[in-house]
Amino acid sequence: MVEDMKGKIRVFCRIRPMSRAEAAQGGAIAVGRLDDYSVTVETSRGPREFQFDRVFSGESSQEDVFQDTNRLIQSAIDGFNVCIFAYGQTGSGKTFTMVGDRDQRSPGIMPRAFNAVFDILQENATKFDFKVSVYMLELYNDRLQDLFVSGAEAQSRRVEIKRNRKGLVFAQGAETKEASSAGELFAMFQQACANRHNAATKMNVESSRSHLIIGIMVETRNLTNGSVSFGKLSLVDLAGSERAAKTGAKDDQLKEANSINKSLSALGDVISALSSDLPHIPYRNSKLTQIMQDSLGGNAKTLMVVNVSPSECNLDETLTSLIYATRVKTITNIAQRNLESKEIAQLKEVIMKLRSGQPVEDDEV
């Protein structure tokens, strides 16, 4: 009930610890957590404060961040669209927040969400039938790629963004796989991460050069009244905004950076239009905004985690990220469940059988 009452997109801020490179440069700490909801930034014009729904310091653990995220997983199983995405400059800790470290000693929101989904399903196994399916994509150089395939097949496969009658976004041409356990879902996730584009930059040893988009669909049938709900959990690890001079990007990396910045700029335009209540929202300006259309300004429950560096040397980028996140916080979504009655669910089943040439019993019609 508390989750339903919160209409605006929620925004968490996570300040990462100072990196070795930043400490070696002798840069002062310019960003700090005042309390659970406030960030202070030391600027040349004096301190600036920003307020968010939660603020995490460099001492906060992955579990601390996920504890406040966990309630949204239940909403996806209840039949809502839910989106959790990370935003910030290159090297600000987005992928650590969403994915975790390489050996998964500190798993991020994504693998923790996989466990949470199946924990909730297991708890309710006597009341509901469930079907979990997933797609995993990356948006690289403005091209959507299916991360369940690799090599030549990935290059030749055409993936397009479509919307169904209910406004739900799906990836036509991408493989959607069913998962029956958290372990199975995590194995798919590891395969997807292995196929994702990474590179080293001056800001980051392993920088994500693409946006990672995971869609988990949960179909739930109530065993008491036969009603069916359809929930969708979108988990998005955005590539970092960056300045080429700072990251040392050249040639292919420069092309990647330009593509990343262009798509993030389009996302900024959408956020600006939504926060200003403009009649036209420019979703079509980028594939990133198209695929996030049912998460931003739609009927979704959305959480943004803005990741920032504490160092004075990244002050400009940090301020840009915090101002951006403050605008996101003003967007209002109207969350609605994707629910069908028993009769409609049965009718759809009959139609599917007829289309596939299967026999239909008299009592089904």
Side-chain angles (χ1 to χ4, degrees):
M1 201 164 118
V2 171
E3 292 301 310
D4 291 343
M5 285 163 65
K6 298 176 182 175
K8 292 187 187 300
I9 291 179
R10 268 150 288 167
V11 180
F12 291 174
C13 175
R14 190 178 196 184
I15 308 163
R16 67 158 169 75
M18 187 83 106
S19 70
R20 283 182 207 158
E22 288 165 342
Q25 286 174 17
I29 290 177
V31 185
R33 172 182 173 272
L34 279 179
D35 54 43
D36 282 353
Y37 310 103
S38 310
V39 176
T40 181
V41 183
E42 293 297 331
T43 75
S44 56
R45 296 182 179 181
R48 277 188 75 172
E49 269 189 43
F50 296 86
Q51 270 73 44
F52 298 106
D53 296 285
R54 273 304 302 271
V55 175
F56 300 96
S57 69
E59 287 77 47
S60 299
S61 68
Q62 298 280 65
E63 180 59 35
D64 292 336
V65 176
F66 188 68
Q67 263 187 340
D68 277 311
T69 310
N70 201 13
R71 289 188 290 265
L72 286 168
I73 311 300
Q74 179 68 60
S75 292
I77 290 164
D78 290 342
F80 289 92
N81 286 1
V82 172
C83 178
I84 303 167
F85 73 101
Y87 178 87
Q89 75 171 117
T90 293
S92 61
K94 297 178 306 303
T95 298
F96 180 70
T97 293
M98 293 303 292
V99 177
D101 54 353
R102 185 185 280 273
D103 57 11
Q104 288 294 296
R105 286 181 188 170
S106 297
I109 287 172
M110 288 176 173
R112 288 173 189 272
F114 303 156
N115 287 326
V117 165
F118 282 95
D119 284 347
I120 294 168
L121 298 187
Q122 194 65 43
E123 285 169 20
N124 294 279
T126 57
K127 303 174 195 171
F128 300 95
D129 269 344
F130 300 100
K131 178 182 162 189
V132 178
S133 53
V134 61
Y135 61 76
M136 299 191 184
L137 310 169
E138 74 169 347
L139 180 57
Y140 176 69
N141 281 346
D142 207 37
R143 186 177 185 276
L144 274 174
Q145 292 189 199
D146 184 352
L147 290 174
F148 285 149
V149 294
S150 57
E153 189 182 351
Q155 290 298 318
S156 62
R157 184 170 292 198
R158 187 178 173 83
V159 179
E160 293 185 332
I161 304 155
K162 301 287 184 184
R163 294 180 76 202
N164 66 16
R165 288 177 186 173
K166 292 178 182 172
L168 277 173
V169 172
F170 64 97
Q172 190 177 69
E175 203 169 326
T176 300
K177 293 187 176 184
E178 280 191 39
S180 57
S181 69
E184 200 175 338
L185 192 49
F186 184 71
M188 294 175 192
F189 173 66
Q190 285 184 306
Q191 178 193 348
C193 288
N195 289 332
R196 192 181 179 190
H197 286 81
N198 293 302
T201 74
K202 286 182 183 176
M203 294 290 291
N204 208 357
V205 175
E206 195 173 279
S207 172
S208 303
R209 312 307 292 168
S210 66
H211 306 298
L212 171 64
I213 301 132
I214 294 176
I216 301 170
M217 285 71 67
V218 184
E219 184 179 324
T220 309
R221 185 185 296 272
N222 187 312
L223 296 175
T224 306
N225 62 23
S227 66
V228 178
S229 65
F230 304 89
K232 179 184 173 189
L233 174 61
S234 298
L235 301 167
V236 183
D237 177 23
L238 294 174
S241 56
E242 62 183 60
R243 289 185 292 176
K246 204 159 187 176
T247 59
K250 293 178 182 176
D251 304 325
D252 283 351
Q253 280 193 22
L254 188 59
K255 183 184 174 187
E256 291 165 353
N258 288 338
S259 176
I260 290 164
N261 288 339
K262 186 181 171 187
S263 60
L264 290 173
S265 175
L267 182 60
D269 291 342
V270 164
I271 284 164
S272 180
L274 286 167
S275 60
S276 304
D277 277 334
L278 296 182
H280 172 69
I281 313 298
Y283 290 115
R284 296 188 67 81
N285 288 2
S286 164
K287 286 180 181 171
L288 176 64
T289 47
Q290 284 179 53
I291 205 155
M292 291 183 73
Q293 187 169 349
D294 60 357
S295 306
L296 293 165
N299 67 346
K301 296 185 178 186
T302 305
L303 169 66
M304 171 183 177
V305 185
V306 59
N307 295 259
V308 295
S309 155
S311 177
E312 189 179 37
C313 66
N314 292 314
L315 192 59
D316 289 347
E317 289 87 350
T318 294
L319 280 171
T320 300
S321 294
L322 293 174
I323 292 164
Y324 191 101
T326 301
R327 292 174 99 170
V328 172
K329 202 170 170 295
T330 65
I331 299 168
T332 303
N333 281 358
I334 301 166
Q336 295 173 329
R337 285 182 76 193
N338 305 308
L339 186 68
E340 289 179 349
S341 67
K342 177 184 176 182
E343 290 73 21
I344 291 173
Q346 283 179 335
L347 190 58
K348 282 192 170 182
E349 219 169 280
V350 169
I351 290 167
M352 281 180 70
K353 281 186 176 181
L354 289 169
R355 280 179 176 166
S356 61
Q358 294 179 50
V360 176
E361 303 296 327
D362 289 344
D363 61 353
E364 289 184 274
V365 182

